[in-house]
Amino acid sequence: QVQLVESGGGSVQAGGSLRLSCAVSGYRYGRTCMGWFRQAPGKEREGVSTIGRYGTPNYGDSVKGRFTISKDNAENTLYLQMNSLKPEDTAMYYCAADSGPYCTIVPSLSFRHYNYWGQGTQVTVSS
């Protein structure tokens, strides 16, 4: 059974940093595309950052230069380092994984292309 468990969310002031983690089990971790997505109330889920099976990252325009995605294959853990946080980054952040046809060298940022999801961790940034 595939399990993705996020942690590391919290409340910070604008300009601060957080590091999200996603522990993965029951999946072919090394051969998947994985990513972070977020959803604010009343908005559609959006791709924040994804990383391909060979380690190629992809970032949404709103987080480029501020967020960094990485993964530890030995620990089966995905990370998202978030710096220079803004109030508009406030959302529930979800970890996702998939190894289907959209898991290409540059992985998709569309939430529709990922079938396995964690429960989410809340990030709140105050001004």
Side-chain angles (χ1 to χ4, degrees):
Q1 183 176 352
V2 179
Q3 280 193 315
L4 291 82
V5 180
E6 303 96 334
S7 60
S11 297
V12 295
Q13 291 192 325
S17 299
L18 283 173
R19 188 193 195 201
L20 305 184
S21 299
C22 174
V24 183
S25 61
Y27 200 55
R28 301 171 297 172
Y29 182 79
R31 297 184 178 184
T32 67
C33 288
M34 299 192 66
W36 292 97
F37 298 77
R38 66 187 181 189
Q39 188 166 19
K43 293 189 176 181
E44 187 175 81
R45 191 168 296 191
E46 67 166 328
V48 175
S49 180
T50 55
I51 189 165
R53 63 185 71 188
Y54 302 115
T56 302
N58 196 9
Y59 294 97
D61 289 341
S62 63
V63 305
K64 284 180 181 177
R66 299 189 297 124
F67 291 9
T68 302
I69 193 170
S70 62
K71 61 179 182 175
D72 185 329
N73 289 336
E75 296 295 328
N76 287 0
T77 304
L78 180 72
Y79 300 100
L80 184 69
Q81 178 66 45
M82 305 186 295
N83 298 328
S84 302
L85 282 161
K86 305 175 181 179
E88 50 264 44
D89 294 318
T90 295
M92 185 70 78
Y93 282 70
Y94 298 91
C95 173
D98 204 87
S99 58
Y102 297 99
C103 182
T104 54
I105 292 176
V106 179
S108 171
L109 281 168
S110 172
F111 71 91
R112 295 177 177 86
H113 298 157
Y114 292 79
N115 286 309
Y116 299 98
W117 293 86
Q119 294 300 306
T121 185
Q122 177 68 37
V123 172
T124 303
V125 184
S126 57
S127 57

